[in-house]
Amino acid sequence: MINRYKSGPGLFWQFWFTEIVITSLISCQPKINQDKFSISYPNIVLILSDDQGWGDLSATGNSNIQTPNIDRIGQEGVFFNHFYVSPVCSPTRAELLTGRYHPRCGVYSTSAGGERLDLDETTFAQLFQQAGYKTAAYGKWHNGMQYPYHPNARGFDDFYGFCSGHWGNYFSPMLEHNGQLVKGKGFIIDDLTNHAIDFIKKNKANPFLLYLPYNTPHSPMQVPEEYWSRFQNDSLVDRHRDPEKENLDFTRASLSLCENIDWNVGRVLSTLQEQGLEEKTIVIYLSDNGPNSWRWNEGMKGRKGSTDEGGVRSPFFIRWKGTIPSERKVEQIAADIDLFPTLLDLAGINQTSPKPLDGESLKPLLMAKANSWPERLIFSHWREHTSVRSQQYRLDAQNRLFDMMSDPGQRTDVAGQHQEVQQRLVRARQDWESSVLAELPKVDTRRFPIGDPEYSYTQLPARDGVAHGNIKRSNRWPNCSFYTQWTSLNDSITWNTEVLAEGDYDATLYYTCPQADVGATFRLSLGNHHVDGKITEAHNPPLRGMEHDKVPRIESYVKDFKPLDMGTIHLSKGKGLMTLRATQIPGHSVMDFRLLMLTRRKL
Ligand SMILES: [Ca+2]
């Protein structure tokens, strides 16, 4: 029994589509070592890039770029030619971690809490952890920040990176290590990879799971000069299908960042080789959505944010030397929801989520053990749009039907010639939406948790706050923003919180303030408790980021914010509104505010 849509009322299409014979879709014969499965407990290295489209690799045909290391994963393993992810970041992460479509998991946005993965969901990392694996995630988490939404609570022993949806600075930025704020070292992708290499070396004698969600080529387009210099004057041979739409410098920056990723992937692969782990380690490479600009993407329609083919098709390469056949291309459609069951199946971990999975183990396709592979449908959803992909067709969000075999660019609507197909796919989508979307509450009642007894740190950034009065967010995109123009005693910043355990918490606030405004006093309160603070030192660094941007950014610039220790606040268990409000403003404004860190005092 293969699932496409387990909990919905309509499974009619499972019986309508004919099964397709697997061997007709596989380009060469596998070389299988069946005995390897009895050994079990392979290491996992799962590399996810951010906003890298299908077309941003030499392996997929882009002659502008050279990505030999990423390509090698596919060449030495299996290359899935029709692999689908969500149109944007958080949904894809939720789907690959849980094996379930993202609306089922509480994910409906990419910021301000809507990116959070519901606490009753199970990640594959939790199951690997329970099976005895050492686990780590280094990079952009983007499925919730405050514990127990934090990666340390979702199956990862070690986390280094940031939990937000994008970051405003890629050069030695503020990051976190297991909840504690730290300063990164050098270019962020190089830094994350250094942590990955250390983790591999440290755990070479035991099974490990390494999740490496790199945050490039997502904007801002900050590129190390070495890589920018390769593309800065490149005329670019391969262009977007509508070349007038393309911002060439954005393309150059994207390709530069992808070559940097490739160099870092090469370092990971070399480490596995040096440590003698190649045959003990499954390596996977994919991206989280389509390209973040109009650039070459094999003529596909749509980009990041779109449910069309170009918005959701990702490269997917998987290598397990000596066990999975090499130089093999799979044409069957597959998706991010398949990662959960596939990884558990390959590792021989006989556990699963208590909730029904939407994904399916790809092991039969990887090993070519199946004589047939039933037809399936994959649903791509974002906001009010849902499209449906079958092996042959795509029904788009406007009910147009495209034959993806003869028209991969979705240029000709064939609904008129194939009305039965169109109607069946429309009904399948209705069933999917009535089931899956119904699991997402109309109103998000989840509060930001504070003080989980299992964890020391709770960060409340500007991103998750609500500003009242004159206070403005530094940018319309909350992820890496701060609050500014705080000028009145009537202004406030609030967070909708729930304290999970009563206790004393050290409150540290990150601010900037010019000399003329020094002296403002303010109060942090929740329920009957409060702590007061005062700005006693000016700290007025300039906005940063533009010095590294190769194209103008749409996100907020950043500043080097300074920590201010407010003292200790006692918090009682329960729900409430954490409020920050000024009590005296001797100058023009109180401060620019970036984040509040609450640290549980040890008993
Ligand atoms: Ca992304």
Side-chain angles (χ1 to χ4, degrees), residues 90-108:
S90 318
T92 292
R93 285 161 172 71
E95 291 183 0
L96 74 84
L97 286 167
T98 64
R100 290 158 51 77
Y101 283 116
H102 68 271
R104 298 194 200 273
C105 308
V107 174
Y108 60 92

Side-chain angles (χ1 to χ4, degrees), residues 243-252 293-294 551-552:
E244 71 281 0
K245 285 183 173 179
E246 188 166 354
N247 176 336
L248 290 177
D249 272 342
F250 201 105
T251 302
R252 293 180 181 112
S293 73
W294 300 116
V551 289

Side-chain angles (χ1 to χ4, degrees), residues 405-426:
M405 301 293 193
S406 61
D407 178 27
Q410 291 177 249
R411 292 178 185 273
T412 306
D413 180 4
V414 296
Q417 295 98 292
H418 301 282
Q419 289 183 15
E420 188 190 0
V421 175
Q422 189 232 19
Q423 287 164 15
R424 287 175 190 274
L425 293 178
V426 166

Side-chain angles (χ1 to χ4, degrees), residues 147 450-456 500-501 505 600:
Y147 202 98
I450 294 175
D452 188 297
E454 299 292 317
Y455 210 61
S456 297
L500 301 181
Y505 297 84
R600 173 189 294 278

Side-chain angles (χ1 to χ4, degrees), residues 49-52 87-90 93 140 142 165 218 287-290 304:
S49 60
D50 190 0
D51 290 5
Q52 179 180 32
V88 292
C89 313
S90 318
R93 285 161 172 71
K140 164 174 145 176
H142 207 183
H218 196 298
S287 180
D288 71 339
N289 49 248
K304 178 184 182 182

